[in-house]
């Protein structure tokens, strides 16, 4: 990975952390805090917000039981279960639930029942009594495929180190791969599609190739790079009746696709560009990559069977670098925030843009960052912030806004990250100086946009723990970029 690219990302993260130090809150009538889970100015840092049986389930720290699973219906917040009952102290007494995954009428997640014990797969029917250990294995990734739970571990069935794929039928976990093989532990190299789990696997005979399993039958889909070399498939992204992925055919890396029957290359990847993120939205598959020659990131969209450049930053300086954050695919446009760095510490340019193959337009000016974007009730909601030039570390305007095709409308002054839409409610993780970082909810903009009324929360300084927590939630909104080129990268 290019060092300048690392510097740009680092500079952007420092800038965001700096911007989160202070905020002022004016609330809209439809916007409110769900609960002050960690009472007072301390923060509960809610995360992993997931819909299940009409409620939002999430992980949070109430300051007494550590980080444990919670749920809400919007009018209350309830601790599901104190899984790790060890005395709470900094870094101890938390089960740290993660990877919430719904399969039928069950919610699965990973958690640790004691500070000394291993992480296991837990299951709940939504009740505390129904929260129990399902599988005594440490999961690398949980994946719902229809009514089945698949999971990947970093240990084989014989407990030796190496990736393995499993299926759980509600009572017993069955390995899908053997003790001699290796399932890829790249989190982007597995995905549900067409009632099967598709994953990258090396069974010892043909290198790492594309495999699929319905829980009963497991087989190689195709030997893309014929022989023992392996195609190293990764960056899986499903859309309708097509699963897209990136693979090496023995000559070059390319964008591939399968419908479960036929598997073929769609297009070669752009020469000299290290593709590290593949997503699929209403506009089609799009990819982010880094061009070492131009010292900048590039964004490509698949149209008509060809990869079309949407944004080529072409920073063009040995020291500088450019970072593109894809926020949303909404109404035929890709919304992105572009940050250009001088390669040291300074941010020299920022742009909030909406892109199509026909061109680009500026969404907003005069802002220094965008914290996520979520489509809700036909509108795209996002949080923007502006640095406070009168303060060494601060923010003068953390604003929740939306766009609906006729410009940008302000909903309220609130520093937040939109995270999920559940049951007609937009959930956000938000900060104010009185209550810290907590879970908020928004039910709709009854006055059609415009500023919120009434003051609340006030300004103030936040702890470094709050900054780290809210920043980590922001970064979790997109997959982490790969830190190494794949085999065959030009």
């Amino acid at each position: 990975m290019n060092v300048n690219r690392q510097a740009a990302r680092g500079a952007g993260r420092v800038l965001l952390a700096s911007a989160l130090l202070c905020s002022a809150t004016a609330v809209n009538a439809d916007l409110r805090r769900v609960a002050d889970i960690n009472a007072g100015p301390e923060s509960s840092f809610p995360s992993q917000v997931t819909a299940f049986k009409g409620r939002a389930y999430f992980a949070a720290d109430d300051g007494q039981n550590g980080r444990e699973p919670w749920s809400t219906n919007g009018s209350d917040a309830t601790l599901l279960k104190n899984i790790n009952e060890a005395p709470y102290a900094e870094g101890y007494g938390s089960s740290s639930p993660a990877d919430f995954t719904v399969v039928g009428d069950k919610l699965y997640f990973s958690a640790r029942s004691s500070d000394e014990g291993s992480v296991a797969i837990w299951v709940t029917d939504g009740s505390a009594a129904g929260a129990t250990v399902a599988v005594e294995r440490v999961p690398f990734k949980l994946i719902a495929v229809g009514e089945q739970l698949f999971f990947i571990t970093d240990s084989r069935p014989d407990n030796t180190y190496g990736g393995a794929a499993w299926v759980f039928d509600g009572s017993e976990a069955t390995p899908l791969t053997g003790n001699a093989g290796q399932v890829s532990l790249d989190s982007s190299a597995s995905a549900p599609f067409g009632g099967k789990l598709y994953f990258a696997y090396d069974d010892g005979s043909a290198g790492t190739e594309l495999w699929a399993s319905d829980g009963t039958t497991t087989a190689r889909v195709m030997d893309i790079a014929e022989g023992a070399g392996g195609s190293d498939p990764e960056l899986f992204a499903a859309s309708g009746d097509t699963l897209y992925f990136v693979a090496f055919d023995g000559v070059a890396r390319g964008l591939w696709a399968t419908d479960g029957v036929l598997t073929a290359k769609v297009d070669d990847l752009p020469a000299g560009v290290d593709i590290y993120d593949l997503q699929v939205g209403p506009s089609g598959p799009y990819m982010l990559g880094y061009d070492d020659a131009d010292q900048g990131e590039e964004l490509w969209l698949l149209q008509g069977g060809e990869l079309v450049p949407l944004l080529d930053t072409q920073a063009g300086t040995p020291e500088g670098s450019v970072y593109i954050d894809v926020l949303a695919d909404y109404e035929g446009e890709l919304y992105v925030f572009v940050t250009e760095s001088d390669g040291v510490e300074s941010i020299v340019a920022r742009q909030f843009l909406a892109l199509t193959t026909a061109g680009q337009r500026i969404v907003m000016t005069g802002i220094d960052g965008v914290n996520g974007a979520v489509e809700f009730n036909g509108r795209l909601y996002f949080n923007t912030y502006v640095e406070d030039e009168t303060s060494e570390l601060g923010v003068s305007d953390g604003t929740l806004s939306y766009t609906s095709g006729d410009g940008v409308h302000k909903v309220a002054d609130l520093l937040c990250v939109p995270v999920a839409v559940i049951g007609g409610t937009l959930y956000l993780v938000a900060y104010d100086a009185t209550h810290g970082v907590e879970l908020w909810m928004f039910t709709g903009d009854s006055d059609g946009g415009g500023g919120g009324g009434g003051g609340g929360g006030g300004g103030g300084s936040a702890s470094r723990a709050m900054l780290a927590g809210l920043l980590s939630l922001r970064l979790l909104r997109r997959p982490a970029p790969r830190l190494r080129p794949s085999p065959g990268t030009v």
Side-chain angles (χ1 to χ4, degrees):
M1 179 176 178
N2 186 280
V3 174
N4 293 328
R5 179 167 137 210
Q6 294 231 39
R9 294 188 184 282
R13 293 176 184 181
V14 169
L15 178 65
L16 178 57
S18 299
L20 297 179
L21 274 172
C22 175
S23 70
T25 304
V27 295
N28 180 288
D30 298 324
L31 179 68
R32 67 175 180 83
R33 187 182 309 100
V34 173
D36 190 9
I37 293 174
N38 195 340
E42 298 300 321
S43 301
S44 69
F45 299 126
S47 65
Q48 307 273 330
V49 180
T50 303
F52 178 59
K53 293 187 175 180
R55 296 177 67 89
Y57 284 75
F58 57 97
D61 183 349
D62 65 359
Q64 299 178 0
N65 298 294
R67 193 161 191 79
E68 298 291 346
W70 287 69
S71 75
T72 182
N73 61 4
S75 62
D76 66 352
T78 305
L79 175 66
L80 174 66
K81 187 170 186 174
N82 185 16
I83 292 174
N84 187 346
E85 296 181 340
Y88 175 69
E90 189 68 30
Y92 298 94
S94 294
S95 70
S96 301
D99 213 0
F100 288 81
T101 303
V102 177
V103 180
D105 62 352
K106 298 290 191 295
L107 175 66
Y108 292 88
F109 56 94
S110 64
R112 184 190 304 271
S113 59
S114 69
D115 293 330
E116 297 77 21
S118 296
V119 173
I121 301 175
W122 282 68
V123 63
T124 182
D125 59 4
S127 67
T132 60
V133 174
V135 182
E136 288 279 9
R137 281 194 173 269
V138 181
F140 172 76
K141 182 180 180 181
L142 303 181
I143 308 162
V145 182
E147 296 295 312
Q148 297 184 98
L149 175 71
F150 289 75
F151 62 98
I152 293 172
T153 62
D154 62 6
S155 62
R156 301 184 181 98
D158 62 1
N159 293 320
T160 59
Y161 180 77
W166 304 71
V167 64
F168 181 63
D169 62 5
S171 60
E172 183 180 3
T174 303
L176 304 174
T177 54
N179 294 321
Q182 170 72 41
V183 173
S184 173
L185 294 178
D186 180 341
S187 61
S188 77
S190 56
F193 173 69
K196 296 180 179 181
L197 173 67
Y198 283 74
F199 58 101
Y201 176 52
D202 180 357
D203 69 347
S205 66
T208 302
E209 291 290 352
L210 181 66
W211 287 64
S213 177
D214 60 6
T216 301
T217 302
T218 303
R220 184 185 300 114
V221 176
M222 182 179 180
D223 188 7
I224 293 173
E226 296 182 0
S231 65
D232 295 304
E234 61 180 346
L235 304 178
F236 293 19
S239 175
D241 58 1
T242 305
L243 175 67
Y244 294 94
F245 59 96
V246 170
F248 178 64
D249 62 5
V251 178
R253 293 177 79 219
L255 177 64
W256 286 69
T258 182
D259 61 4
V261 178
L262 299 176
T263 302
K265 181 190 286 188
V266 178
D267 197 3
D268 288 326
L269 296 186
V273 179
D274 178 21
I275 299 296
Y276 60 83
D277 191 10
L278 169 63
Q279 303 290 325
V280 176
S283 299
Y286 57 89
M287 302 189 301
L288 270 172
Y290 187 79
D291 189 332
D292 283 314
D294 288 338
Q295 297 292 319
E297 290 190 323
E298 298 181 359
L299 180 62
W300 298 73
L301 179 70
L302 180 67
Q303 283 202 339
E306 295 184 355
L307 289 169
V308 179
L310 278 186
L311 186 62
D312 184 351
T313 54
Q314 294 185 343
T317 62
E319 297 82 11
S321 192
V322 177
Y323 170 46
I324 303 171
D325 187 3
V326 179
L327 299 164
D329 187 347
Y330 170 70
E331 295 292 325
E333 296 178 302
L334 281 179
Y335 283 72
V336 303
F337 193 81
V338 182
T339 305
E340 183 177 346
S341 166
D342 64 6
V344 185
E345 292 184 355
S346 299
I347 302 298
V348 296
R350 306 176 185 90
Q351 299 181 85
F352 186 16
L353 305 173
L355 310 175
T356 67
T357 53
Q360 64 185 46
R361 65 180 179 85
I362 297 174
V363 179
M364 286 183 70
T365 59
I367 61 173
D368 294 321
V370 181
N371 295 330
V374 172
E375 187 172 351
F376 174 57
N377 286 349
R379 299 167 171 173
L380 185 67
Y381 287 82
F382 49 86
N383 181 240
T384 62
Y385 66 86
V386 178
E387 287 182 76
D388 184 355
E389 296 179 359
T390 63
S391 174
E392 181 180 358
L393 292 174
V395 60
S396 60
D397 187 11
T399 302
L400 177 66
S401 303
Y402 74 83
T403 181
S404 58
D406 58 348
V408 175
H409 304 267
K410 176 177 168 183
V411 176
D413 292 323
L414 182 69
L415 187 58
C416 63
V417 181
V419 292
V421 175
I422 300 173
T425 298
L426 173 62
Y427 285 92
L428 315 98
V429 175
Y431 167 76
D432 69 47
T434 304
H435 304 92
V437 179
E438 296 290 351
L439 188 67
W440 285 58
M441 60 180 291
F442 179 64
T443 55
D445 195 10
S446 59
D447 62 6
S461 296
S463 67
R464 291 189 179 275
M466 186 282 292
L467 296 179
L470 191 50
L471 179 58
S472 68
L473 293 173
R474 169 68 187 88
L475 296 176
L476 282 173
R477 292 197 50 76
R478 60 177 286 174
R482 290 187 302 103
L483 300 182
R484 57 172 178 79
S486 292
T489 299
V490 176

